Amino acid sequence: MSAFEERKPLEPRFETKNPTREEVINIGKSVFIKGELTGDEDLTIEGRVEGKIELKDHNLIIGPNGKINAEINAKSVTVIGSVVGNISAGEMVEIKTSGSVMGDIKSSRISIADGAHFKGSVDMQKTPDTGKKFDLPKSETAKVGSDQSTMQKVHVK
């Protein structure tokens, strides 16, 4: 080929995505989101989120750098970083060794690794509405004791 020969332009190369393969979206550790985060695909969060995360039919992973201050509703949630807020999962909540959750969990299955930090309550009822949003139970005052002098107040959920 000589220097004066006309070259054909290169055709752009596009990778075809496999439509059957589900993709996982990543939110990097330098990203901060404040507000409502919704989606129709699996999500990994390495950054910070404050507000609400709604992925009811998809999986959520809070990476080791992830710092979440939000209400979470997802199919399954894996916590490697830290979460402050209630978690509702249709299938499973998993807190890994380095994970930390401060909030109530509602799921049909839960796994807390040795060394993980968890402070809150767990509701593990197997009902069709387990994947629905987290509703805090209303507490009632109950009286315990046989006579008036030993009456005590106890909160019942």
Side-chain angles (χ1 to χ4, degrees):
M1 173 185 240
S2 74
F4 299 107
E5 235 177 88
E6 192 174 318
R7 294 185 185 184
K8 292 181 183 178
L10 294 175
E11 292 183 28
R13 294 183 187 183
F14 295 104
E15 291 183 29
T16 57
K17 293 184 178 181
N18 184 350
T20 59
R21 193 181 113 222
E22 298 245 349
E23 292 205 26
V24 177
I25 302 303
N26 294 306
I27 294 177
K29 60 184 173 181
S30 67
V31 176
F32 172 69
I33 297 172
K34 188 171 187 174
E36 190 170 328
L37 177 60
T38 61
D40 286 327
E41 49 204 316
D42 294 348
L43 179 65
T44 298
I45 299 175
E46 287 288 345
R48 288 182 17 203
V49 175
E50 288 182 10
K52 184 177 180 182
I53 300 171
E54 190 79 34
L55 301 169
K56 68 178 183 176
D57 296 325
H58 298 281
N59 303 317
L60 173 65
I61 297 173
I62 310 302
N65 298 305
K67 297 197 183 324
I68 310 302
N69 189 351
E71 301 297 311
I72 298 173
N73 184 22
K75 182 170 88 174
S76 72
V77 179
T78 301
V79 180
I80 304 167
S82 70
V83 173
V84 175
N86 297 332
I87 300 173
S88 179
E91 290 183 3
M92 182 167 184
V93 174
E94 186 175 11
I95 306 172
K96 300 287 191 175
T97 302
S98 62
S100 170
V101 173
M102 292 186 66
D104 298 336
I105 296 175
K106 185 176 185 180
S107 179
S108 57
R109 293 173 46 216
I110 184 167
S111 169
I112 302 175
D114 190 26
H117 179 264
F118 171 69
K119 183 175 183 181
S121 68
V122 176
D123 181 354
M124 290 182 60
Q125 295 177 359
K126 283 195 171 199
T127 60
D129 67 339
T130 303
K132 290 187 180 176
K133 294 179 186 175
F134 199 95
D135 293 323
L136 291 176
K138 294 179 182 176
S139 62
E140 301 174 8
T141 302
K143 294 182 180 178
V144 179
S146 59
D147 64 346
Q148 296 290 14
S149 63
T150 60
M151 293 281 186
Q152 298 176 357
K153 289 187 178 181
V154 177
H155 289 289
V156 179
K157 291 186 180 180

